[in-house]
Amino acid sequence: MLIDTYGRVATDLRVSLTDKCNLRCTYCMPEEGLQWLAKPDLLTDDEIVRLVRIAVTRLGVSDVRFTGGEPLLRPGLVGIVERCAALTPRPRMSLTTNGIGLKRTAAALKAAGLDRVNVSLDTLRRDVFKTLTRRDRHQDVLDGLAAAHEAGLTPVKVNTVLMPGLNGDEAPALLAWAVRHGYELRFIEQMPLDAQHGWKRDGMITAGDILQSLSTRFTLTEEGGEERGSAPAERWIVDGGPHRVGVIASVTRPFCSACDRTRLTADGQVRTCLFAREETDLRAALRSDATDEAVATLWKLAMWGKKAGSGLDDPAFLQPDRPMSAIGG
Ligand SMILES: C[S@@+](CC[C@H](N)C(=O)[O-])C[C@H]1O[C@@H](n2cnc3c(N)ncnc32)[C@H](O)[C@@H]1O
């Protein structure tokens, strides 16, 4: 298994399928000028399936989330899902996506064995979406969400990042909309992962701000009885239930001590954390004919060195060199 020196065990694998994206969200990517990974540097579909197989059959990984960049841009996505679904034990599989193109592929992904999706949507306003993502694709995301719901990729979760002066006032409207459509909304605090390195702590909307704003319109009851465990979202029951809303306070209330994640970039590097500054090259091992056992050992060694925390609170904190789109969110 993937255990670290603090006794945490990673069972949740995030696999980035590409660093490319069809949006340019301001908190994630620059408007232009970001260098894509060269095609030969990307893991092939076979390499991805092999690494997932090693993770699932040798390292105790039970949950696999495909992400990016934008994973729907990966031509082989449905095939990758199908092959991973055939593994024993079968991992639970989900997808983090901006939803563009999901209208076309949701049913095929469900049939291939995908369990559910998280769709990122930060605003209900088309003009704000265009400013925030630098692309006029709001309706495509709404259509993708509806298709995912209809295909049974449920619960459909919606990931939202709020920013002052843009969509910072939309929390109550977004929650009302999510309740109406049966989506589970999760607010994520903005993290220092933008390509421009422009994040400032005092410029972010905190979990506390979000809860205060929601409570102007909803009665929120903290979900009791259950441990937060390794789930990053703290959840609240909305107006007595059954609907829930989550808040991921990655900055103000980090969940590092219960972290159960291991990450694989689209070019085959293991990262122990979004904010890690070191990576371990599994692609080189795969391409030099390493055995499954040798690859698994390398992965274990990488995770063994996982740091206690993200380091966000350390005055000497240095943002990772790669932006979120290249790490895999
Ligand atoms: C990097 S994206 C990749 C997957 C897919 N393209 C999507 O939009 O969901 C994954 C998630 O990371 C979030 N994200 C990106 N940059 C972020 C940042 N600086 N702080 C917090 N969340 C961020 C996005 O909002 C999205 O929900």
Side-chain angles (χ1 to χ4, degrees):
M1 64 187 177
L2 295 171
I3 188 167
D4 65 38
T5 52
Y6 298 91
R8 294 168 298 189
V9 177
T11 54
D12 181 350
L13 167 62
R14 311 262 147 159
V15 186
S16 174
L17 297 182
T18 173
D19 57 329
K20 289 196 178 140
C21 192
N22 38 12
L23 297 180
R24 291 290 179 280
C25 301
T26 50
Y27 50 75
C28 189
M29 293 174 91
E31 187 158 16
E32 51 193 38
L34 197 62
Q35 284 277 311
W36 305 126
L37 291 168
K39 183 122 192 269
D41 291 342
L42 291 177
L43 294 179
T44 63
D45 293 1
D46 286 349
E47 287 170 335
I48 289 169
V49 174
R50 180 173 173 203
L51 287 175
V52 172
R53 178 172 53 72
I54 291 171
V56 166
T57 60
R58 292 176 176 260
L59 296 170
V61 163
S62 56
D63 292 83
V64 178
R65 173 178 296 270
F66 298 107
T67 181
E70 176 43 51
L72 291 177
L73 294 179
R74 175 110 190 178
L77 172 64
V78 172
I80 291 171
V81 169
E82 195 165 31
R83 290 168 69 190
C84 292
L87 294 170
T88 308
R90 181 191 184 287
R92 281 185 291 271
M93 281 185 292
S94 58
L95 182 76
T96 298
T97 170
N98 62 30
I100 297 172
L102 201 49
K103 185 179 175 183
R104 233 183 16 257
T105 46
L109 285 166
K110 177 71 184 176
L114 190 73
D115 294 300
R116 50 176 210 83
V117 291
N118 282 39
V119 177
S120 305
L121 179 66
D122 300 325
T123 177
L124 296 174
R125 302 196 295 240
R126 180 177 164 191
D127 57 324
V128 175
F129 183 92
K130 201 171 158 190
T131 305
L132 220 149
T133 66
R134 304 180 177 116
R135 299 289 186 269
D136 193 7
R137 308 293 301 268
H138 194 236
Q139 190 58 47
D140 293 320
V141 180
L142 297 177
D143 291 347
L145 271 162
H149 198 257
E150 200 179 309
L153 292 168
T154 50
V156 172
K157 297 189 181 178
V158 176
N159 289 356
T160 300
V161 178
L162 294 178
M163 277 151 298
L166 263 175
N167 59 346
D169 58 347
E170 282 196 64
L174 278 158
L175 182 53
W177 164 84
V179 168
R180 214 167 46 244
H181 289 273
Y183 306 146
E184 186 176 321
L185 184 62
R186 300 140 38 98
F187 293 97
I188 307 176
E189 284 181 343
Q190 187 186 353
M191 295 176 278
L193 288 162
D194 55 311
Q196 308 87 303
H197 290 216
W199 180 90
K200 287 198 181 62
R201 196 177 188 121
D202 54 10
M204 60 168 279
I205 294 180
T206 65
D209 300 333
I210 295 165
L211 291 169
Q212 197 171 15
S213 165
L214 291 177
S215 62
T216 58
R217 194 156 149 191
F218 301 93
T219 304
L220 300 181
T221 318
E222 195 159 4
E223 211 172 41
E226 280 174 39
E227 286 292 312
R228 183 183 181 190
S230 58
E234 296 181 80
R235 300 210 309 169
W236 278 264
I237 300 163
V238 182
D239 288 342
H243 212 86
R244 308 278 196 276
V245 63
V247 182
I248 305 182
S250 344
V251 177
T252 59
R253 285 196 54 187
F255 39 93
C256 305
S257 62
C259 182
D260 63 354
R261 295 185 182 174
T262 181
R263 294 176 176 274
L264 202 52
T265 63
D267 54 350
Q269 312 296 305
V270 169
R271 295 179 67 93
T272 56
C273 169
L274 271 178
F275 297 102
R277 297 192 56 80
E278 303 85 31
E279 298 181 340
T280 300
D281 191 356
L282 295 190
R283 185 192 60 199
L286 295 183
R287 294 185 185 175
S288 59
D289 295 330
T291 61
D292 285 357
E293 190 179 344
V295 174
T297 303
L298 206 54
W299 203 331
K300 278 194 234 177
L301 278 173
M303 293 307 294
W304 182 248
K306 181 173 171 121
K307 298 223 162 66
S310 62
L312 270 176
D313 282 327
D314 186 335
F317 170 75
L318 277 179
Q319 198 174 319
D321 296 326
R322 302 213 218 197
M324 180 74 135
S325 60
I327 293 169

